[in-house]
Amino acid sequence: MTVRTRFAPSPTGYLHIGGVRTALFNWLFARRHGGAFILRIDDTDAERNVDEALQPILDGLRWLGIDWDEGPGVGGPHAPYFQSQRAAGHKAAAERLVASGHAYRDFARPEELDEERKAAQAAGRPFLYSRRFAAFDDAAAARFAAEGRTSVVRLKMPREGSLVIDDAVRGRVEFAWEREQDHVIQRADGSCLYHLASVVDDHDFAITHVIRAEEHLSNTPRQAFIAMSLGYPLPAYAHLPLVAEPGSRTKLSKRKLAQYLKNHDFKQVMDHGQKIAERIGLAAEADTFNPVIVDFYREVGYLPWAIDNYMALLGWSLDDKTEFFSRDELVQHFTLERINSSPASFDPKKLWAVQDHYMGQLTIDDKLALMLPFLTKAKLLADPPGADAVATVRRVIEASGERLKVAGDILGYADFFLVAEPPLDEAAVKQRLAKPGVRALLEQAITVLGRVEPFAPAELEAACKALVEAAGLKIGDLIHPIRVAITGKTVGPGLYDCLAILGREQSLARLTRALPLCG
């Protein structure tokens, strides 16, 4: 048997972190067994579909390296790969279910169903439709139609017995048929609903393993009933644990995660992100600017494999110690048996640590390739950038070392090198320059630094230390005001590297410009 898995997102919103985990696990399982991973777009719900949402889903998966063997942009023997384009097959399946007695045309009006629902509630019993407006033959259908009624198609679910499935993650799961409603599978306008369409398409695509989120577990009885009624073999099911909010068992949501980050002071996530978003023209309140959405991480400058590696650990593990895997290692070791059924808490701090690990493994050339696009997008560099500018950025990256945690961080570390006169942060000026005695100290520094030869980090450091020792001061009394004077801010690469990168002429010019602001 050739393993065939699928990821079937609906284009109703942007690619959610939980969806990434589902796609990744399907991709890993297919790759582990030499099978095929299929991408299908489940766009049967026309009212909820968002035209702008499809491309970010495709782009996000490609960015993460989750490539598909069949699907949009790739094609394949089971095309089309958009559910909305497969409507004829869905309708034919609905007709087969009616003809075989496994479904029926129902002419009940909404208010009549509501009456039955309220009566069941008042009696303290579960609601099960009485089927009093069901048409099990053409004569009954004609009679109801003559009353001006329209019909939907409902499943005629069993009222006795149970369905038992052997879930690859949860083990034996039993569903009592008496708890299942007669679910609608076809609307009055003839369009079919997701549950029927999904089962038909999974069969047509020869899907062998349905690996999906826990929230779909409750859909399994109706979908299994549809499949069995149509004579389809059931796929193997694996329902993945919930991707939960940090420290909880509640499903991860856009609003709550953003609020959690703010409340718990994860400034490395939100503050970095907001600053980067502003510099590249992305509104911080945009839908994509949320740490539940994959686009957030791409816009901020995370490494895609850092996302994949961390997401693989949400519910799956090889052992208690191994946290970092190459792509080949993850494919080699991934099995459904190692997936835990308990909710997996999404931890932004842990993701940050994984990102930091992989960023630290990159060469300077790797970082340069990642970071130059951020500078061109922020219009700090021409596109394409000149050789001198690229050389400057390379020196900034080398000098910044481990300070650059995500690719977008380069915006705050290289910007003051790429403009003639960087703006001076008012708070930094007040904190570092406006103190008594700073002007005289900087005037001395201008004289001393003007004589340093060569104008290189080691020599600059020695000169500054000699100056403060002669004045009976601490080194911080000098380097903090110099940093603000030449960079406009309080953070950045090492000060002596900054001076060397700027060069003697520009460094002295910026120090001189800052003198009127000093105390």
Side-chain angles (χ1 to χ4, degrees):
M1 177 188 70
T2 300
V3 167
R4 291 175 60 83
T5 66
R6 51 81 166 169
F7 177 54
S10 298
T12 56
Y14 292 93
L15 187 57
H16 187 280
I17 281 292
V20 168
R21 202 274 306 270
T22 298
L24 178 64
F25 280 21
N26 275 277
W27 182 88
L28 287 169
F29 188 73
R31 295 289 177 265
R32 171 73 174 79
H33 293 278
F37 171 63
I38 294 90
L39 178 64
R40 184 180 73 223
I41 306 301
D42 284 4
D43 56 348
T44 53
D45 194 344
E47 292 185 1
R48 295 184 61 224
N49 291 339
V50 180
D51 292 339
E52 310 84 59
L54 175 59
Q55 197 59 47
I57 291 174
L58 302 180
D59 292 345
L61 290 173
R62 289 193 184 100
W63 176 67
L64 291 166
I66 303 176
D67 56 331
W68 49 97
D69 303 295
E70 299 176 29
V74 175
H78 301 89
Y81 292 92
F82 289 83
Q83 236 176 25
S84 59
Q85 298 172 20
R86 306 179 63 83
H90 307 153
K91 291 178 181 178
E95 291 171 3
R96 283 179 57 194
L97 290 170
V98 170
S100 65
H102 293 99
Y104 60 89
R105 302 194 181 281
D106 179 46
F107 288 82
R109 296 186 172 111
E111 59 271 21
E112 292 163 340
L113 290 171
D114 195 46
E115 264 181 44
E116 290 197 14
R117 194 172 288 107
K118 288 178 178 176
Q121 185 177 11
R125 55 178 170 78
F127 167 64
L128 280 178
Y129 176 42
S130 67
R131 299 174 180 166
R132 63 189 177 120
F133 295 102
F136 294 110
D137 54 45
D138 291 342
R143 185 172 67 255
F144 286 132
E147 297 176 13
R149 295 173 178 269
T150 57
S151 67
V152 298
V153 174
R154 290 184 183 276
L155 294 175
K156 189 179 180 183
M157 299 295 290
R159 294 286 169 88
E160 296 178 350
S162 62
L163 168 72
V164 177
I165 64 167
D166 184 19
D167 190 280
V169 174
R170 299 173 183 281
R172 186 179 189 275
V173 184
E174 184 172 358
F175 303 90
W177 287 122
E178 65 181 358
R179 295 180 178 275
E180 292 298 316
Q181 302 295 324
D182 285 1
H183 305 284
V184 176
I185 57 171
Q186 188 174 33
R187 302 179 182 91
D189 64 5
S191 62
C192 294
L193 275 72
Y194 161 78
H195 297 290
L196 173 65
S198 182
V199 171
V200 172
D201 289 345
D202 281 350
H203 172 262
D204 290 348
F205 290 176
I207 300 301
T208 60
H209 293 74
V210 172
I211 304 170
R212 58 188 181 182
E214 177 188 54
E215 62 198 66
H216 292 286
L217 182 61
S218 61
N219 299 330
T220 305
R222 76 188 81 170
Q223 293 176 356
F225 177 75
I226 292 171
M228 292 185 296
S229 299
L230 290 170
Y232 299 163
L234 291 182
Y237 291 103
H239 288 89
L240 306 177
L242 188 72
V243 177
E245 293 171 3
S248 81
R249 300 173 70 88
T250 306
K251 184 180 177 182
L252 187 67
S253 73
K254 287 172 59 177
R255 181 184 61 81
K256 287 186 177 180
L257 178 59
Q259 192 60 49
Y260 178 90
L261 292 171
K262 291 175 182 177
N263 290 346
H264 290 74
D265 200 29
F266 285 124
K267 292 190 177 296
Q268 67 268 51
V269 176
M270 297 305 289
D271 284 359
H272 275 70
Q274 288 173 356
K275 290 174 183 175
I276 292 168
E278 290 168 5
R279 297 299 295 271
I280 63 177
L282 176 69
E285 66 274 10
D287 286 342
T288 56
F289 190 77
N290 190 294
V292 163
I293 304 301
V294 169
D295 281 29
F296 170 88
Y297 299 95
R298 185 171 53 177
E299 296 284 1
V300 168
Y302 276 68
L303 297 170
W305 185 245
I307 305 291
D308 288 343
N309 190 155
Y310 176 69
M311 295 308 298
L313 300 176
L314 287 182
W316 176 90
S317 65
L318 179 61
D319 51 48
D320 294 334
K321 297 179 180 179
T322 309
E323 295 182 333
F324 304 113
F325 299 88
S326 69
R327 185 175 294 268
D328 289 343
E329 288 171 338
L330 204 49
V331 169
Q332 176 187 349
H333 293 299
F334 185 83
T335 63
L336 297 178
E337 289 75 18
R338 289 188 176 276
I339 298 175
N340 193 314
S341 61
S342 301
S345 178
F346 180 79
D347 184 352
K349 212 166 186 178
K350 182 63 178 177
L351 172 57
W352 184 261
V354 175
Q355 163 68 18
D356 188 35
H357 169 81
Y358 284 113
M359 184 65 84
Q361 293 187 333
L362 298 183
T363 66
I364 298 299
D365 285 339
D366 292 335
K367 291 181 180 180
L368 186 65
L370 283 171
M371 295 174 182
L372 284 176
F374 281 84
L375 295 167
T376 55
K377 193 170 183 179
K379 303 190 185 307
L380 288 167
L381 288 180
D383 190 9
D388 289 345
V390 172
T392 296
V393 176
R394 174 186 288 277
R395 293 183 68 187
V396 173
I397 293 172
E398 290 173 336
S400 299
E402 296 180 357
R403 296 181 183 91
L404 299 173
K405 302 298 187 183
V406 295
D409 281 347
I410 193 64
L411 295 171
Y413 280 74
D415 55 350
F416 44 82
F417 294 103
L418 303 174
V419 296
E421 293 187 1
L424 302 181
D425 180 76
E426 291 184 9
V429 169
K430 184 177 180 180
Q431 180 185 9
R432 299 299 186 188
L433 295 181
K435 294 180 178 179
V438 169
R439 178 174 181 132
L441 190 58
L442 286 192
E443 287 174 340
Q444 293 179 60
I446 291 171
T447 301
V448 169
L449 297 179
R451 296 195 299 259
V452 171
E453 194 65 47
F455 203 77
E459 287 74 15
L460 290 165
E461 181 177 7
C464 287
K465 286 183 176 179
L467 173 58
V468 296
E469 286 175 8
L473 299 172
K474 297 177 181 178
I475 191 64
D477 296 330
L478 179 62
I479 64 173
H480 293 314
I482 289 181
R483 178 183 292 282
V484 173
I486 67 170
T487 71
K489 56 185 71 177
T490 58
V491 296
L495 175 65
Y496 309 115
D497 290 303
C498 289
L499 288 165
I501 293 169
L502 284 170
R504 188 192 314 274
E505 182 179 345
Q506 197 168 171
S507 295
L508 297 180
R510 292 187 182 188
L511 286 168
T512 302
R513 182 184 66 136
L515 290 177
L517 303 173
C518 295

